[in-house]
Each structure stands twice: as C-alpha cells, then as structure tokens.
Amino acid sequence: MSKIRLLSPRLANQIAAGEVVERPASVLKELLENALDAGATKVEIDVEEGGVQQIRVRDDGIGIGQDDLPLALSRHATSKIYTLDDLEGVATLGFRGEALASISSVARLTMTSNDSESSMQGWSAFSEGREMEVQIQPVAHPRGTTVEVRDLFFNTPARRKFLRTEKTEFNHLEEVVKRQALSRFDVSFYLRHNQRGIHALRACKSQAEMERRIASVCGPAFMESALFVEHEVNGIKLWGWIALPTFSRSQADLQHFFVNGRVVRDKLVSHAIRQAYADVLFHGRHPAYVLYLELDPNIVDVNVHPTKHEVRFRDGRTVHNFLFSSLHRVLADVRPGDNPAPTQYVQQMPAAVPADPLARGEFQGQASMGLQSHGAAVAAPAMFGGYSLSPAPSGGDISDHMQASRDFYQAPAPSLEAQGSEEVPPLGFAIAQLKGIYILAENAQGLVVVDMHAAHERITYERLKLAVDGEGIRTQPLLVPQSMALSAKEVDGAEQFAEEFAKLGFGIEAAGEESVLIRHIPVNLAQADVLQLVRDVLADFLTYGTSDRVQQQRNEILATMACHGSVRANRRLTIPEMNALLRDMEATERSGQCNHGRPTWTAMSMAELDKLFLRGQ
Ligand code: ADP
Ligand code: MG
C-alpha cells in the first residue's frame, strides 16, 4: 500500500484553519472583512460568551445567490479574484477563498443570505466540520448576509485549550471591531456581548464625526492631543491623526495603521514612525496614531501572510522615507501658537484640557492650549537682544555656539516696552520666576508655566543640530584601516550601499568574500564603537533601505552637550531674559518637549483657574 495519501477535505481544511483561526477574534475578523467586501453599509455583531459560544455577523451587503451559497463555504472558492493578474492589484480585503471553509471545519457555521433587493426569499446553508457537504434550505432574509458561528473548536479540543477567559477573548474581539471601525468610517458598526450593547458606531459624514468615532474607539484623551496630518507626494498619500509626543503610551497599544483600508502591522512602518518621533519622545514611551496610507495596490503585495496582517511594499525604502519625512516635519513644526503650515499639513483639533490628565498616567497637560492659539503672531526673536536662531555660520566650532547660547542669557536685556502694542505672543510675557526653576508668564488665555532648564536645553540642542547640519558630515581617515568580518550577504549589502555609507561619512570597501575594510569614519563619532555602528547601519540598510543611526549617535552627543550648556535651575533670570527665552521657544522646532521628551511648558486658562476657585458657579 502506498505511504503517501491525499488528506480528506476536512483534515486539509482543519490544517489550513490553523493558520487563520486562532481564536474567536480571528473568526470575527474574517467575517467582518467579508461583510465589508460585500459593500455593507451597516454591520451588526452579536457575541455570546467571548465568541466561543457564538459569533453572529449580519450585513446589508450584496448577498449571495442560492447557487453560490454552497461554493462560498468550499475551500479555494472566491468571487474576488479569477486570475493571477487580479491578485496583483487586489482591492478587496479577502481573496484567498479559504476563510469560510476553514472556520466551518472547526465550528458549526450557518450562512444565510439573499442577493435580491425585491424579495425576502433567502437561503441558508449549514456546515459543521464534517466532510464539508452543505445542506441548503429556504428562509426569509432581507438582502444581505448573516453568518453564525457556534461552538468554536468543538471538534479540535487541543485548540480549545488555548482559549483564555471569556473576558480576554472578548477584549480581542472588541479590538477587531475597533480596528475595522477605524478602517471604514462610512460603515455603521454595532457590537453586542451577551445581549448587552457595547458599541454603536454610526457611519460618519464629516471629519468631526470621524473624530468622534476615534475618540470613542481610542479614548477622548488621544483625540484631545491629536494632530491631523495629510500629505501626498507622487501618488502616495498619508493622512490621519498622530498624538503629540507629550501624549505617549507605556505600550505600543494605540497604533493603528491602514494600508489601502487594510489593517496592517508592519515593522517597516513602525520603524519609520518611531524614527519620526525619535527626538521628541520620552525614553521608553510609544507614540500613538491612527494613520492611513493610500497607494497604488499594484505596488503593495498583500499576499504575504495568511491573516493578511503584513504587507510587502515593492519599494519599501520610498515608503519608509515618505512616512518618516511627513511625520518628522509635522512633529518638528509643533510650536506654541505656531500657524498651521500653509500646506494644511497640520490642522488644529478642537481641544479641551482634560480635567485630570495625570490620573491617566499620560504626559499631556500642555498639549491643547498652545495649539488653539495659532492666530497669534510670533514676535521676531531678533527683537530681543539681536539674538537669532538662524542656521550656524559655516565653519566655527560647536563650542562657539555653546558659548553664544550661554552669553545670551547674560546679555543686556531689552526693555519690556519694546513689545508695546504687539499682540500677545502664544507663551505670553513673563511675570516672575518661581524658586529659580519655573518661569510664570501671562498670555491671552491665562497663565503659562515654563520649566526654564528643560526649555533652554531644547533650544540649545536644536541650535547645535543646525550648526552641525550646516557643516555637513565630515569624514576622517582611520590611521590604520579596520577590517571587519561579515557574512557574504552582508558584504554584498555593504557594496550595494557603499554610496549611502559614504553619505554618512563612512568609507567601506569589500576586502574579500567575507570581510570589508573601513577606511573612513564620520568625524564626530571618533569615540563610538565603529564596528558595532557599521554592523547596525548595515542591518538597517538591509531591512529598511535607510538608516538614521549615525544621526542618532551624533544627536545623543549633542543632547548631552546641550544639557550641560543650558541654564541650570536656581539661576536668577531678569524679566527681559525670561521673555527672550519664551520668544526663543516659540521660534524653535520641537520646543514643546525637552530633549528627553518631557514637556517644557504647561498652561492654565482663566476658565480653568476660575473653576479651581469655583468662580461663577
Ligand atoms: P474570500 O473572502 O477570500 O473570497 P471567504 O471564504 O471569506 O473567501 O469567502 C468566500 C466567498 O463567499 C467570497 O468570495 C464571497 O463571494 C462570499 N461571501 C462571504 N461572505 C460574504 C458576505 N458577507 N456577503 C456576500 N458574500 C460573501
Ligand atoms: Mg474572506
């Protein structure tokens, strides 16, 4: 007898199910994707006992005709692609034609559908993990489809054992609903658990309604400190909302990214975004965002993973650079009272200061108020003591700039009258210094409190970066070229990216099949562990097509210098000196956070102060 045998359809499907159906949430994800692919405008989800007992999804999409119904449940049966070419530019969420077959091999599945607008005559198909034969019977059903999945893993006890508590499974289900709800603002979603209403998200018709949906899905605190982003270059478009760095998370749990409407977790994407936040985020914290990338489906491969959570970009490096530069710019531009960029890069959200931000364990106190006041003009920094932030003159040493920065705050102060009839700038005018640490200022809305060391540190740091950028990256030859052992693949990579290495100040050439010679290194990194750095940069190039490690190392050094070169606590500043610092903050990129990502200022409006004193209540 032959040793090789064909698997029974049921076993084949159960094996395939292992890839797609991990838990109730994965079932729901597939059912929701099908409903959306069917053009539903309204999706109702009913869940019993964390989805293990039952998941029912009802949609008002195009439905399935009587003849197609049994096919829908068979493996490799799909209405979404017919040829390989269709796969190239696939625009639907599904296309593998195996979700329903997989689910019905490990649960009891009933699918009821009607594809006619005019009659209530629908058909119901039932399948329960048998040899996949399907019985069909007539039932009344409006146009659309209802899928009911009961007793998940009833015939695969080993899988059932991996299920967690009802609450945990439900949390996963809810997460799936939230993500799909964020992916399609034009669709209504209703979620009930054990007959209790959990979410009722009506279709959104305006940006304000979209923002309300995000607030109910991601929490109002996110929306309060979110910036709207929109950027398009050469047919690639990014839009959505990113939280200010001062609203960060201890976990990467508020990161929603969609590629052409598909929920995606992609390391290239998260790397690019992390890099955009690198200079402003408090150590160990994670940024929060809801972002949409839209690009020609022909340049993304969605057929990389059975659950379609990952994608592959044909030109990953372009996408990485596009994401990084779009977000980096937006974050750098966040300044107290700054005008939105003319391109509508950033739009200010209606912001309300949270009643008790600290209780939520988030840094976010300052976010909202400065951003509202974008109408106010920023006084030219040059007005105050002729000091300016313009890029460093070429040549000159970094220490000159450090000195200049220290000198400034000892410079003879301009008089307050100089402001005369000027509009009140966003951070207002200084009234006092508190305990040698904080500057108290008054602006149009009320009180502003500034941590003067943190603020000055950021200003000095940004100036140092400008100075070094102005010089360009200089390179120095090593006395003795360093040889370095690498794998053959890495040596290929090093050659392929030789030009990129040169741009970063490295001179690297292949010295054999498994070694390279390092001849030049960037000047200001003479102290760094060169071999490790080259290894890391190369790994970045190979994975993301780009690397910011050299800049990161350099920035670390500059940040340390800035810290030592900035006004310390307990330095008495005169009022004009304090005003000059405030004006500097308004003119400096990223001045809302110190170099470590902590906020540099916070504000309290008159309304908030009045509330504290129960005034007018
Ligand atoms: P895929 O989504 O990859 O095509 P599925 O197994 O999820 O594979 O579904 C098989 C087919 O059943 C789909 O191609 C579609 O034609 C049909 N189908 C599934 N769910 C629905 C639905 N809610 N409304 C209309 N048609 C559906
Ligand atoms: Mg599907």
Side-chain angles (χ1 to χ4, degrees), residues 92 148 255 493 503 514 532 543 550:
T92 48
E148 208 174 276
Q255 305 188 335
K503 281 187 205 147
E514 298 194 339
Q532 191 55 46
T543 320
V550 170

Side-chain angles (χ1 to χ4, degrees), residues 141-446:
H141 193 279
R143 182 173 177 265
T145 305
T146 302
V147 182
E148 208 174 276
V149 176
R150 304 180 62 85
D151 302 325
L152 183 61
F153 300 141
F154 76 98
N155 57 354
T156 45
R159 290 239 132 202
R160 213 180 161 103
K161 270 192 231 135
F162 280 97
L163 292 176
R164 313 286 292 275
T165 62
E166 173 174 343
K167 185 165 180 301
T168 305
E169 293 303 336
F170 182 73
N171 287 344
H172 286 284
L173 286 165
E174 195 184 357
E175 200 55 34
V176 166
V177 175
K178 285 178 171 180
R179 282 180 185 267
Q180 298 292 358
L182 290 178
S183 84
R184 290 291 299 273
F185 290 104
D186 55 333
V187 175
S188 304
F189 292 87
Y190 298 88
L191 172 65
R192 277 183 293 268
H193 188 208
N194 299 333
Q195 273 113 54
R196 210 163 60 85
I198 307 288
H199 287 289
L201 303 164
R202 239 152 287 140
C204 310
K205 289 186 205 74
S206 63
Q207 184 166 329
E209 289 182 2
M210 287 157 85
E211 281 159 14
R212 220 168 301 141
R213 177 178 286 197
I214 295 177
S216 75
V217 166
C218 302
F222 170 74
M223 211 54 240
E224 277 156 15
S225 60
L227 296 172
F228 183 70
V229 180
E230 195 169 10
H231 191 205
E232 186 168 357
V233 175
N234 297 334
I236 307 186
K237 181 173 175 183
L238 179 73
W239 64 279
W241 293 262
I242 61 173
L244 291 170
T246 37
F247 173 93
S248 59
R249 310 274 297 176
S250 60
Q251 283 170 26
D253 60 349
L254 215 165
Q255 305 188 335
H256 299 281
F257 199 88
F258 304 87
V259 178
N260 292 341
R262 188 185 298 280
V263 178
V264 159
R265 285 202 159 274
D266 183 85
K267 71 174 181 193
L268 181 130
V269 167
S270 43
H271 183 267
I273 300 178
R274 222 179 323 119
Q275 194 172 314
Y277 273 89
D279 222 9
V280 284
L281 208 60
F282 193 66
H283 180 72
R285 308 281 298 180
H286 300 269
Y289 50 83
V290 178
L291 285 171
Y292 304 84
L293 183 70
E294 287 165 13
L295 70 180
D296 178 357
N298 285 297
I299 58 175
V300 232
D301 185 359
V302 290
N303 188 25
V304 193
H305 195 264
T307 62
K308 298 158 290 174
H309 264 319
E310 285 168 31
V311 291
R312 197 180 297 134
F313 299 103
R314 188 168 300 164
D315 185 356
R317 183 170 161 193
T318 302
V319 172
H320 189 286
N321 288 347
F322 172 71
L323 292 176
F324 168 74
S325 53
S326 312
L327 300 179
H328 181 72
R329 196 65 254 143
V330 172
L331 290 166
D333 277 346
V334 176
R335 280 175 233 187
D338 203 2
N339 288 314
T343 50
Q344 278 291 303
Y345 239 10
V346 184
Q347 251 178 34
Q348 265 70 46
M349 291 298 111
V353 175
D356 185 9
L358 290 178
R360 267 171 269 199
E362 307 293 353
F363 303 104
Q364 59 174 35
Q366 61 156 359
S368 24
M369 79 130 298
L371 289 164
Q372 292 172 319
S373 51
H374 51 89
V378 177
M383 248 177 83
F384 298 93
Y387 162 80
S388 103
L389 249 188
S390 53
S394 50
D397 197 64
I398 288 175
S399 55
D400 295 347
H401 300 289
M402 302 279 297
Q403 194 51 49
S405 129
R406 250 169 279 154
D407 286 349
F408 164 65
Y409 292 102
Q410 291 149 15
S415 75
L416 250 181
E417 281 73 70
Q419 302 128 19
S421 57
E422 283 287 326
E423 240 180 292
V424 182
L427 291 177
F429 297 114
I431 21 187
Q433 192 180 14
L434 187 67
K435 303 276 185 202
I437 296 173
Y438 297 109
I439 294 171
L440 307 184
E442 176 184 342
N443 70 359
Q445 287 80 18

